[in-house]
Amino acid sequence: MEFTAEMIAGLLGGTIVGDKNAAVHTVSSIEGGKKGALTYLSNPKYEQYIYSTEASIVLVSNDFEPKQEVAATLIKLPDVGAAVLKLLEMYNAMKPQKKGISRLASISEKATVAEDCYVGDFAVIEAGAVVEAGAKIYPQVYVGDGVKIGAGTTLHPGVKIYEGCRVGANCIIHAGAVIGADGFGFLPKPDGTFDKIPQLGNVIIEDNVEIGANTCIDRAKTDSTIIRKGVKLDNLIQIGHNVEIGENTVSSAQTGIAGSSKVGHNCFLAGQVGIADHTTIGNRVMIGSQSGLDKDVPDGEIRLGTPALPGMNFHRSFAVFKTLPDLQRRVAALEKEIKK
């Protein structure tokens, strides 16, 4: 489908600089833009590309003033980021929607699947499972006994949801994620072997949660592992048994949270954060990449490093760490002087 600059400006409330009839049918990055593409400039460090891009239309902020000639048509806007988000949401909504239940799906007679759901090839829905209106179950998804999938939720190919787990409404779970596998619980024996501790709880995922590809969320030993509403988890994250993550918390890839830890609401965990078992992280906490935490963190704090330190302490310590080789040489020289 094709859109003109005039149509896009009208939709977004923007001002056109250039050809109002310039047309686009796709979107691209500003550095890779080709004729017929819509792109945007939201970060000043990419300004160099606006002068060479072949894209037909570029969204820019109201205060942008080009330093040289721009071939593309510009649409000036108060908030480029918000405008791009609106366009991408509209574009996504216009894509063809999957419908119907495949004859190759295996659905138990004791399962309940709403009529307007999509269920793809080789998906399995076990007895007692409930799939609510508008849910999309892509090929090779497994929905175990007694699982509940909320309205409008999407399970991408290969998602596995073990028995008894609950997924709320309007969630997105990406390919390969495993929800409800056993928590890592083993009891050492005198002979050096281990007895497996049964994991009898489940996982509860509340509404509007997004879970990245190949992320694993373990079932609780008893009670529930809980992911509160609005949480966003990246790919390749491990959530241990009996963990609770508060509302609207965000975590980047390769984070690991050990069993029985609690993370508050509106926290940000950067990539490869590690949180030890039985650790409590307060609300609105920010944790830097590759930080390791084994102590509780109060509300509103910043933690960096391993073991994680308060933000300013970490930066001061790191400033000293960088000077250690020079400091060692100076100490050695002083020792020689003292001996003399």
Side-chain angles (χ1 to χ4, degrees):
M1 191 170 181
E2 198 167 74
F3 297 90
T4 65
E6 187 173 34
M7 293 166 64
I8 295 169
L11 179 66
L12 300 177
T15 303
I16 299 172
V17 179
D19 181 9
K20 69 177 184 179
N21 295 315
V24 294
H25 61 270
T26 187
V27 293
S28 73
S29 63
I30 192 167
E31 59 268 41
K34 299 295 182 184
K35 185 176 179 180
L38 169 73
T39 188
Y40 59 93
L41 176 64
S42 58
N43 188 329
K45 77 176 186 178
Y46 291 98
E47 182 180 338
Q48 59 181 307
Y49 296 109
I50 200 171
Y51 306 113
S52 59
T53 187
E54 297 177 22
S56 299
I57 300 175
V58 183
L59 308 182
V60 298
S61 62
N62 281 336
D63 58 1
F64 174 72
E65 294 297 334
K67 298 181 178 64
Q68 60 191 76
E69 184 179 354
V70 177
T73 294
L74 305 182
I75 299 179
K76 291 193 168 186
L77 298 156
D79 188 336
V80 175
V84 171
L85 175 61
K86 184 175 181 179
L87 284 176
L88 291 177
E89 287 176 338
M90 290 180 59
Y91 181 79
N92 192 53
M94 291 169 61
K95 288 163 60 176
Q97 299 297 309
K98 295 284 189 178
K99 295 180 180 179
I101 297 176
S102 169
R103 62 182 181 80
L104 299 177
S106 174
I107 302 175
S108 169
E109 293 180 355
K110 296 181 180 179
T112 302
V113 179
E115 290 185 1
D116 59 348
C117 291
Y118 163 67
V119 182
D121 294 351
F122 306 112
V124 176
I125 301 176
E126 300 280 29
V130 175
V131 181
E132 295 187 342
K136 292 182 174 60
I137 311 296
Y138 278 79
Q140 298 183 329
V141 167
Y142 175 79
V143 177
D145 294 315
V147 168
K148 181 178 178 181
I149 307 298
T153 283
T154 298
L155 307 181
H156 283 285
V159 169
K160 314 300 181 191
I161 303 184
Y162 285 34
E163 69 276 6
C165 293
R166 301 285 184 267
V167 180
N170 301 312
C171 294
I172 300 172
I173 303 181
H174 288 279
V178 178
I179 311 299
D182 282 356
F184 191 69
F186 299 91
L187 186 67
K189 295 167 66 176
D191 64 359
T193 61
F194 296 88
D195 281 333
K196 180 176 175 62
I197 300 171
Q199 306 291 299
L200 305 179
N202 70 346
V203 175
I204 296 175
I205 297 172
E206 295 185 345
D207 298 344
N208 302 308
V209 170
E210 183 156 351
I211 296 170
N214 293 320
T215 285
C216 296
I217 303 176
D218 292 346
R219 68 175 52 248
K221 181 168 66 175
T222 60
D223 304 313
S224 299
T225 300
I226 303 175
I227 312 299
R228 297 292 183 192
K229 66 182 182 180
V231 167
K232 312 300 180 188
L233 301 178
D234 201 353
N235 305 328
L236 298 168
I237 288 175
Q238 164 63 30
I239 308 296
H241 60 183
N242 293 92
V243 166
E244 181 175 342
I245 299 181
E247 296 178 8
N248 301 314
T249 281
V250 176
S251 179
S252 296
Q254 298 183 0
T255 289
I257 304 178
S260 300
S261 290
K262 310 295 180 188
V263 180
H265 64 73
N266 295 95
C267 295
F268 179 79
L269 283 60
Q272 297 185 331
V273 165
I275 299 176
D277 59 302
H278 298 275
T279 300
T280 298
I281 308 300
N283 302 319
R284 303 178 307 282
V285 169
M286 300 183 70
I287 304 174
S289 297
Q290 297 188 326
S291 295
L293 293 92
D294 61 358
K295 300 289 189 299
D296 294 352
V297 181
D299 292 351
E301 295 276 337
I302 297 173
R303 290 290 185 270
L304 300 166
T306 301
L309 300 171
M312 191 53 67
N313 287 0
F314 173 83
H315 289 299
R316 288 170 178 162
S317 299
F318 189 70
V320 173
F321 175 77
K322 290 190 295 184
T323 67
L324 286 179
D326 180 57
L327 182 61
Q328 194 248 357
R329 286 191 293 269
R330 292 167 61 190
V331 169
L334 287 171
E335 286 176 338
K336 289 181 180 179
E337 291 296 321
I338 290 169
K339 285 179 180 178
K340 288 179 182 179

